[in-house]
Amino acid sequence: RHTMKLLLPLVSILLVTTLSYAADIRGYFTPVGPVPSANSVKKVRFEELLNFGCVHCNHLRKASLELREEYADQVDFIDIPITFRGQDDSPLRLYYVAERLGKGKIVKEELFRTRFEYDVNVFDPGIINYLAKSLGLDQEYQAESNMPWVDAKLAEAERKTEQYGLTGTPTVVIEGSMKMDIGRYGSVERFVADVPQTFADLLAKP
């Protein structure tokens, strides 16, 4: 009981501190970790947990192309693909192999295009083998896709789904602590238009 009495004030201080920091940062989000203080971040970390078969992820992908280009120097955009129950992880493995070769963006675009423009199941290993070959990544994919470093990437993605309390995709988490509530913005387009305000509040002043 004595320990609890000591801990309660500490927890209260931490909670108040987090809420205080959150009040200084514009945007709709739920804290899932210690929120940075305003203007304290050199480069913002923007993690997007996505699924290559998710229509909403494809929507955000298309809506945020210009955002990613405009803020490339100030924001580190990190894609974390995941699978849902019953889906094969081969597209994730192809993505990570391509990312290591500097071709992650190309493969991401091709996977979404294949799924939503051609209505092809990108969770079919045969389709992924075909895509790897058509993109000139066949040898690298065959050699690297089942290596321990790829398994580690998949395990890390799974850990983050639990850490961030993922309930659907896309899920955007900024600075590992701010789980953005895209629904409260009213639309994906409004989220993309307004999230630079969150960047501005986090970034250190020049």
Side-chain angles (χ1 to χ4, degrees), residues 58-206:
N58 189 45
H59 188 181
L60 178 57
R61 174 190 68 83
K62 291 188 287 187
S64 62
L65 289 174
E66 291 184 9
L67 175 78
R68 288 181 176 231
E69 286 187 12
E70 183 177 352
Y71 288 90
D73 293 336
Q74 300 165 283
V75 180
D76 189 12
F77 292 97
I78 303 167
D79 291 320
I80 305 175
I82 64 168
T83 55
F84 298 140
R85 183 176 299 178
Q87 292 178 333
D88 189 82
D89 63 12
S90 54
L92 281 61
R93 292 179 182 275
L94 175 59
Y95 171 78
Y96 283 124
V97 171
E99 184 185 44
R100 176 171 275 199
L101 297 169
K103 297 182 178 180
K105 182 178 178 180
I106 294 172
V107 166
K108 175 187 174 183
E109 296 294 312
E110 192 62 27
L111 285 166
F112 276 116
R113 194 164 71 94
T114 299
R115 171 63 188 89
F116 291 102
E117 290 186 23
Y118 299 112
D119 196 25
V120 172
N121 178 18
V122 294
F123 298 98
D124 181 334
I127 296 297
I128 295 303
N129 285 333
Y130 173 80
L131 284 177
K133 186 173 292 186
S134 67
L135 293 169
L137 296 170
D138 184 48
Q139 290 185 353
E140 293 86 350
Y141 176 64
Q142 296 302 329
E144 296 288 332
S145 61
N146 290 306
M147 295 293 284
W149 70 266
V150 178
D151 293 336
K153 288 275 192 180
L154 299 179
E156 175 68 5
E158 187 171 343
R159 184 187 69 78
K160 293 209 170 192
T161 65
E162 297 176 2
Q163 176 186 348
Y164 297 150
L166 183 131
T167 56
T169 54
T171 292
V172 171
V173 179
I174 294 178
E175 283 301 303
S177 61
M178 303 160 60
K179 183 178 176 182
M180 306 307 290
D181 189 349
I182 297 175
R184 290 186 66 190
Y185 286 85
S187 69
V188 166
E189 287 77 13
R190 177 50 58 188
F191 167 71
V192 170
D194 286 357
V195 75
Q197 296 177 347
T198 307
F199 300 161
D201 291 343
L202 287 168
L203 287 165
K205 300 293 185 183

